[in-house]
Amino acid sequence: MSDNKDRETLATLGAGLFTNSVWDMLSVVVPLYGVAVGLNAAQIGLIVAARSVLPTALSIHGGIVMDQLGTRTVLLWLSFFSILLPVIYPICGWFSVLVALQLILGLVSSLGMTASQTWSLHSSLGDTATLARFSIATRIGTFLGPVIVGLAWDLYGAWVAFTCISVCGAGTLGCLAYCHPRGSASPIRFDKNPSLRQKPKALLKTLWPQWPAHKQALLLSLIPAVAFILASSFLRNSAAAIQSSLYIVYLESCGMNGTLIGTLVALAELAGVIGSLMAAPIEKKIRAETLIIGCVGLSIITIAITPLIAPWLIVMIFACIIRGIAQGISQPLMYSVLSHEAQGKHQGASVGLRNAVVRLGSIITPAGMGFVAQIWGIEKSFYIMGGVFLFATALLALVYQQYQKRHPQSTTD
């Protein structure tokens, strides 16, 4: 039993590494590809935003399906699509086709991350230290991914760069195979509901979105701690959404190549490993909500000042490291709060709900910033968007402070 548990733990770490790599590799190579085929800032912003449309609409349903069919069953099928879809990009250079690809692969890659997170929650039983190790694994993937895809882009072009993303899909498939070696039970067991294997209609009903299940998941947002995590997740993702869209376009306009841009993005992710290691010890001294708000504000500031510090590479590196540490600290804390507030059969739904909010931010931020850049210029768009998100973070801190005064025993210690 212990050996099986160890294999599952390693498999969840590998799944976190590969599924998160897919998202960040796309964050680097798609804007570069958009520039290469002659698209403008607004079009690139819309293409980047497009990959979050379906995740926003279907992340909750995806989490519900994972709760009903089993996380590994869903992850298995998602890994096949993650292998196939990336290699279609180099064939297409049209705006409308790229939007369609982003819609589909955005859903696949987002649900892949949801599945690996949910699998980790089940395996770790909500332990912050264990979730921090999972967070570290995801950060290693998001560190290596942008560097590899940026280098592949500079040396070999679009085909090899997008093929690297397909390799990550194959890596997820390999983790599932490792967790289920030859002779063990298949990951496609429908163990949550065995009747689904014998009744195709029941399976189709499960796959089709059902309002009662969605309503139950949405009701989780009425839990104050969950509502706080949803709001802070939206704001936390704003820095990442800027980094995956006009941040890359701006640095490319400053003369940086794909390798250097990918390295800067990767440095932030590598620094996130340090932040994740710090999360559990710091949580013992600082209340989780306070720490999350501080980290969110710091990550927004370090991305918003990009035009000011872009001429100095060493300062850019320092900002990336600070942003990564802040993002790394906040991630396992958010997972831990969710795990404790939505236990058992609702964990997939809670992760799906959080990811839906995160993906909504990934639509609003790049699309809005793209249009702001078209009107006032790309440099001012960093200051404008940063100011808006910092104001929202301060407002969240004020609301949380008032709630804490009225309900001192309700907040997470």
Side-chain angles (χ1 to χ4, degrees):
M1 181 65 70
S2 178
D3 182 61
N4 289 339
K5 184 64 177 177
D6 291 342
R7 294 183 76 95
E8 182 178 11
T9 299
L10 288 175
T12 59
L13 295 179
L17 185 152
F18 288 116
T19 55
N20 282 266
S21 294
V22 171
W23 187 268
D24 277 57
M25 292 169 87
L26 286 169
S27 298
V28 172
V29 75
V30 170
L32 291 175
Y33 188 61
V35 172
V37 297
L39 302 180
N40 61 39
Q43 289 175 318
I44 293 173
L46 288 173
I47 287 174
V48 172
R51 69 172 174 165
S52 297
V53 172
L54 292 182
T56 301
L58 297 175
S59 282
I60 296 174
H61 177 62
I64 293 170
V65 170
M66 291 171 203
D67 286 336
Q68 295 181 352
L69 300 185
T71 304
R72 286 168 287 180
T73 301
V74 176
L75 187 58
L76 178 69
W77 291 105
L78 292 173
S79 64
F80 286 122
F81 287 104
S82 295
I83 294 170
L84 174 64
L85 292 174
V87 293
I88 301 177
Y89 277 78
I91 303 173
C92 312
W94 302 283
F95 173 74
S96 57
V97 179
L98 290 175
V99 168
L101 276 172
Q102 286 283 90
L103 286 170
I104 301 171
L105 188 53
L107 178 62
V108 169
S109 56
S110 180
L111 289 181
M113 290 189 291
T114 300
S116 65
Q117 290 168 15
T118 305
W119 190 8
S120 177
L121 287 178
H122 285 302
S123 178
S124 68
L125 301 178
D127 177 63
T128 299
T130 304
L131 289 170
R133 288 194 288 271
F134 174 80
S135 183
I136 290 169
T138 66
R139 293 291 175 177
I140 292 173
T142 53
F143 164 70
L144 294 176
V147 174
I148 291 171
V149 81
L151 187 61
W153 175 271
D154 286 337
L155 296 179
Y156 305 107
W159 275 104
V160 174
F162 282 104
T163 299
C164 288
I165 301 175
S166 293
V167 171
C168 286
T172 303
L173 194 62
C175 291
L176 288 166
Y178 176 77
C179 188
H180 296 273
R182 182 175 298 179
S184 67
S186 167
I188 312 179
R189 294 177 296 170
F190 297 112
D191 49 313
K192 299 289 182 180
N193 191 345
S195 66
L196 294 175
R197 183 182 291 278
Q198 287 78 31
K199 298 179 180 180
K201 288 185 178 180
L203 176 59
L204 290 175
K205 184 178 179 180
T206 300
L207 294 176
W208 189 260
Q210 302 291 325
W211 169 243
H214 272 70
K215 181 180 179 180
Q216 191 174 36
L218 290 170
L219 286 175
L220 292 173
S221 64
L222 297 180
I223 302 172
V226 174
F228 173 82
I229 292 300
L230 295 180
S232 57
S233 294
F234 181 94
L235 294 169
R236 176 185 179 274
N237 184 65
S238 63
I242 293 172
Q243 181 178 274
S244 64
S245 56
L246 293 196
Y247 178 81
I248 294 171
V249 175
Y250 179 73
L251 295 186
E252 196 273 341
S253 70
C254 292
M256 295 187 186
N257 59 30
T259 302
L260 183 54
I261 294 171
T263 301
L264 286 174
V265 172
L267 278 174
E269 301 301 330
L270 181 61
V273 174
I274 300 173
S276 295
L277 288 171
M278 296 166 60
I282 296 179
E283 186 188 17
K284 297 177 181 178
K285 301 179 180 179
I286 303 176
R287 191 179 293 271
E289 292 89 345
T290 303
L291 190 56
I292 288 171
I293 288 174
C295 290
V296 168
L298 192 58
S299 64
I300 293 172
I301 292 172
T302 52
I303 195 75
I305 61 174
T306 295
L308 286 176
I309 63 177
W312 301 282
L313 181 59
I314 188 65
V315 183
M316 286 284 291
I317 292 173
F318 181 73
C320 287
I321 293 173
I322 296 299
R323 182 166 64 255
I325 291 174
Q327 298 279 69
I329 292 173
S330 60
Q331 187 179 53
L333 295 177
M334 290 179 174
Y335 292 163
S336 180
V337 172
L338 274 184
S339 178
H340 289 301
E341 296 295 333
Q343 297 179 0
K345 63 181 181 179
H346 297 305
Q347 285 188 343
S350 68
V351 175
L353 181 62
R354 175 185 176 273
N355 284 357
V357 171
V358 168
R359 297 312 159 212
L360 177 62
S362 294
I363 297 172
I364 294 173
T365 302
M369 191 172 180
F371 284 109
V372 170
Q374 287 294 104
I375 298 172
W376 288 289
I378 192 168
E379 290 189 10
K380 290 183 179 179
S381 69
F382 280 86
Y383 307 137
I384 294 171
M385 299 300 288
V388 169
F389 287 125
L390 278 175
F391 175 79
T393 303
L395 185 61
L396 176 62
L398 179 62
V399 171
Y400 163 68
Q401 185 181 40
Q402 294 301 314
Y403 177 81
Q404 185 183 13
K405 288 180 180 179
R406 295 177 183 177
H407 306 86
Q409 302 301 320
S410 300
T411 52
T412 302
D413 290 326

